[in-house]
Structures are given as C-alpha cells and as structure tokens.
Amino acid sequence: MSPDPISDWLLGHAPSLPSCRHVLEGLIDRLNAEGMDLHRAALGIGVLHPELLGKAYTWERGGRYVGETEIHHGIETTDQYLDSPFRPLNEGEAFVRQRLSGPDARIDYPMLEEQRDSGATDYIAIGLPRSDGSIYRASWTTDRPGGFSDAQIDRLLSLRTVLGVVIELQSRAEMTKSVLNLYLGREAGRRVYNGDIKRGDGETIRSILWICDLRGFTSLSDRIPLKHLIAVLNDYFEAVTGPIHASGGEVLKFMGDAVLGIFRIDDEADISDIGERALSAAELAVANMNILNRRRGREHKPTLDFGIALHVGDAMYGNVGAHDRLDFTVIGPAVNLCARLETLAGSLGEKIICSAEFAAISTAEMRSVGMHELKNVATALEAFAPA
C-alpha cells in the first residue's frame, strides 16, 4: 500500500482532471476522509489574460462549490490585498496561520472575521511553489474545536510541493486554452489545443457569415493620435463582438477595422433560428454603436459610422498560411460576396445589409434595396435590409 495515497493521487490522477477546481474538490474529499474536518478551502492561481491577474476557486462544507472569483490587475495596490494573508506569502513566508477562536485567537487580517463569525476556529494559508519562483496560494479553514492539530498542519504543509506541481500543470493548460480562445476564437482555439494544426487541414462548413467594417477609418486615423486610435478600435470592437458571442456566433478575426464572424449551421432544421440570432446580434451591435456615439458626442469626439453584411453560404474553414505562420479562417466565394455586400452597405447608407440567401431564411421582414453589380461577382445580385 502507498505510504501517501493523496500524493499518489495528485501525481497520478489529478493532472488528467478538467481543471484546477476539480483538483481542489478531489483533494478536499481526500483530506476530509483522513479526518481533516475542513470548513472552507480556497485556491488562488495566476492567469494569462489582458484584464485579469488571477482567479480563485472557493469551496465550503457540504460539497458546496461557492464559485470562481476573478482577480483583476491592480489589486496589488489595494487594501484588499495589502491587508490579506496572501501578501506575506508573496513576500516569502511559507505559510500564515491564524487561530480564530480560543485563548490563542488572533486575527491580523479583516477578511478572516467573516469566517470566524461563521464558526471557523482555525485558518492556514500556504504558498504553493511554481517553477519560476513565484507561488500560487491555497487556504484551509476548520471549525474543529481547538483548530487544526499539529499533525494536520504538518500534513497540509507536506503536500505543498506536489500540489504546487499539479496546480502549475493544470493552470498552464487553462492559460493555454484561454489565450487560444482570446486570439483565435473559441472553436479555432479548441481545435488548435486538440492538435488540429496541420497546414491545409480544413472542412467545408455552412454558416451565416458576418462582416462589419468602420467607415472613414483611414481619414480618422490621420486625424487622431495613435494611442487614441487604439482606444477607438477597442470601443468599436467591444460594441460589435459582444453581440456575436452572446448570440452563439464566433469572431474569427479582426482585419484592420473589420470583423469577420460566423454562425455555424450544423443542422438545416435550425437555420431560421440561427438567422434570427445573427440578425438580432447585428441589430444589437447597431444599438451599441448608437450608445457609443452618444457618449463620443458628449465628449466632443467624432462619431463612428459602420456597416454589417450578412450572408448564408458554404466556406472552407481550416488551417492556412506558411510553414511558420498559420491561421484558422474561412475562405471561399461566399466570404468574398459577404465582403462586397458590406462595401455596398456603405454606398447605400445602410447599417445592415443582407444577401438574398439570408433574406430567404430569415423570419424577419425584409425590404429590397435593389439589384446591384458587385466587384468580382459575375451577375447582378439583389440586396436586402431589415424593414
């Protein structure tokens, strides 16, 4: 029999679990089975994210998973951090213990008062070493009369190195997935993470294509400083990509000031519903841009004009590029036609313009905006706009 079944579980099974949260829950079950009698536990890890410094998983007795808390950049200068037990851990302490009840009770950190009031008797926060010299953090609370025994404290400390290794493996996997999703999109990120990276691999997919573009961006970029230009793009992208994701679509890429998105059609029976979601997302994007422009008007800044084109068609979705630089994208005549429609939207003064193919599957009322010849499209096509 293994001399330490928990260490064996951490090294042998825990790395294959879906996330750090699952590692924490499995570890708690095993510690309680040994008689640890945990009241509360938390695990804090770092993330690689433009807005977040880390996140924390929290558990309370009864197997109730309390939640995942986002930790934002800049927290290091706040009282929340400076008056917490995690500060001394980051400054080199291996652990911090606070007895919460009894004659030796001492609470140096205000955040622990709530745990004391809920019946907790003892608290320990432990730094989990990482390969780069920094740490993750785990904290453990009990409501056992008299608090943790010396043997239990030693037990928790004995696991810190192996737990640190496992959590680093898990958190790096989570970071990789997060970065791939941020920079490639959810579906493309998933495929790359799963090893679908061979150049030329692809599949024909049917989807609703979405292309939107700022109008007059070139002249605007000539008039304002570059740092302000980035802020303009961020505001615009936030306004238009949020509705795509919220409606079940995927943003594939930013092309300068243009956005390419898709709403995959996996079952033709659902095509009307998918079309409704794509159009609702476009209408919400227009509403978001109106709100943004009202704010810019109050700030005496030039307003932003843009247009969205929607089309239904087949496209090749896959991995293209050079041997040392690849990209997941969609290509094909349907994508080109959608781009031409977006250009047409600008000349017609329409915010949203749709192909005849999209109008045919849409449950919304549409009005024709006429027959038009599009660049590099063989025949004139009828275009539509929401009524």
Side-chain angles (χ1 to χ4, degrees), residues 29 41 73 84 100 122 124 148 192 221-222 224 239 296 311 381:
D29 289 341
H73 289 293
S84 78
L100 305 181
D122 206 351
I124 183 171
F148 291 116
V192 170
S221 62
D222 289 337
I224 63 176
R296 292 182 62 82
H311 177 48
L381 299 176

Side-chain angles (χ1 to χ4, degrees), residues 165-289:
V165 170
V166 174
I167 294 302
E168 181 167 7
L169 286 172
Q170 282 281 0
S171 65
R172 287 189 181 277
E174 292 182 28
M175 286 183 192
T176 301
K177 293 176 184 177
S178 175
V179 170
L180 288 173
N181 290 344
L182 279 169
Y183 284 91
L184 299 180
R186 290 190 295 262
E187 176 61 17
R190 182 191 66 81
R191 292 179 60 161
V192 170
Y193 186 80
N194 289 335
D196 190 4
I197 59 174
K198 183 180 177 183
R199 184 168 60 152
D201 280 352
E203 61 178 321
T204 299
I205 64 169
R206 186 161 176 78
S207 65
I208 293 173
L209 298 159
W210 158 307
I211 292 180
C212 67
D213 198 4
L214 276 178
R215 297 170 187 160
F217 180 71
T218 300
S219 62
L220 179 66
S221 62
D222 289 337
R223 302 197 310 269
I224 63 176
L226 284 177
K227 64 178 181 179
H228 295 162
L229 191 64
I230 291 175
V232 169
L233 283 175
N234 285 340
D235 286 344
Y236 155 64
F237 287 141
E238 191 72 33
V240 300
T241 62
I244 296 175
H245 288 146
S247 300
E250 180 183 359
V251 174
L252 287 185
K253 63 172 57 184
F254 301 114
M255 304 172 292
D257 59 320
V259 177
L260 170 61
I262 59 170
F263 292 77
R264 295 172 68 107
I265 302 170
D266 295 319
D267 187 340
E268 286 291 331
D270 299 328
I271 192 169
S272 294
D273 173 67
I274 298 170
E276 183 177 350
R277 288 192 279 112
L279 182 57
S280 295
E283 291 170 340
L284 180 55
V286 172
N288 286 347
M289 288 296 290

Side-chain angles (χ1 to χ4, degrees), residues 67-353:
E68 177 182 314
T69 304
E70 295 179 341
I71 303 170
H72 290 262
H73 289 293
I75 193 173
E76 309 96 311
T77 61
T78 67
D79 291 341
Q80 179 185 355
Y81 168 76
L82 296 174
D83 293 333
S84 78
F86 306 125
R87 179 183 179 182
L89 293 182
N90 287 336
E91 292 174 350
E93 296 289 338
F95 71 98
V96 172
R97 185 182 186 184
Q98 294 274 278
R99 294 186 180 272
L100 305 181
S101 69
D104 297 324
R106 174 180 174 178
I107 297 180
D108 297 322
Y109 308 103
M111 63 175 288
L112 299 180
E113 293 174 358
E114 181 181 351
Q115 295 193 49
R116 175 202 59 195
D117 295 342
S118 70
T121 59
D122 206 351
Y123 169 92
I124 183 171
I126 299 172
L128 306 177
R130 295 175 53 182
S131 59
D132 63 1
S134 63
I135 61 166
Y136 292 143
R137 292 159 296 279
S139 64
W140 314 95
T141 308
T142 185
D143 55 7
R144 176 178 176 270
F148 291 116
S149 68
D150 291 343
Q152 288 174 332
I153 294 288
D154 290 342
R155 179 61 165 145
L156 292 172
L157 291 174
S158 73
L159 293 171
R160 65 187 296 266
T161 299
V162 66
L163 181 57
V165 170
V166 174
I167 294 302
E168 181 167 7
L169 286 172
Q170 282 281 0
S171 65
R172 287 189 181 277
E174 292 182 28
M175 286 183 192
T176 301
K177 293 176 184 177
S178 175
V179 170
L180 288 173
N181 290 344
L182 279 169
Y183 284 91
L184 299 180
R186 290 190 295 262
E187 176 61 17
R190 182 191 66 81
R191 292 179 60 161
V192 170
Y193 186 80
N194 289 335
D196 190 4
I197 59 174
K198 183 180 177 183
R199 184 168 60 152
D201 280 352
E203 61 178 321
T204 299
I205 64 169
R206 186 161 176 78
S207 65
I208 293 173
L209 298 159
W210 158 307
I211 292 180
C212 67
D213 198 4
L214 276 178
R215 297 170 187 160
F217 180 71
T218 300
S219 62
L220 179 66
S221 62
D222 289 337
R223 302 197 310 269
I224 63 176
L226 284 177
K227 64 178 181 179
H228 295 162
L229 191 64
I230 291 175
V232 169
L233 283 175
N234 285 340
D235 286 344
Y236 155 64
F237 287 141
E238 191 72 33
V240 300
T241 62
I244 296 175
H245 288 146
S247 300
E250 180 183 359
V251 174
L252 287 185
K253 63 172 57 184
F254 301 114
M255 304 172 292
D257 59 320
V259 177
L260 170 61
I262 59 170
F263 292 77
R264 295 172 68 107
I265 302 170
D266 295 319
D267 187 340
E268 286 291 331
D270 299 328
I271 192 169
S272 294
D273 173 67
I274 298 170
E276 183 177 350
R277 288 192 279 112
L279 182 57
S280 295
E283 291 170 340
L284 180 55
V286 172
N288 286 347
M289 288 296 290
N290 288 338
I291 293 171
L292 174 60
N293 278 328
R294 286 198 295 272
R295 190 191 80 195
R296 292 182 62 82
R298 291 193 300 270
E299 296 171 352
H300 306 291
K301 297 176 181 177
T303 57
L304 307 174
D305 194 13
F306 86 123
I308 301 171
L310 298 171
H311 177 48
V312 182
D314 295 333
M316 178 59 68
Y317 177 72
N319 217 350
V320 298
H323 75 280
D324 56 355
R325 178 63 172 89
L326 295 171
D327 190 18
F328 258 100
T329 189
V330 287
I331 57 174
V335 182
N336 298 335
L337 191 150
C338 192
R340 303 305 182 203
L341 278 173
E342 195 288 317
T343 301
L344 177 64
S347 63
L348 296 178
E350 299 285 351
K351 297 296 185 189
I352 302 172
I353 198 164

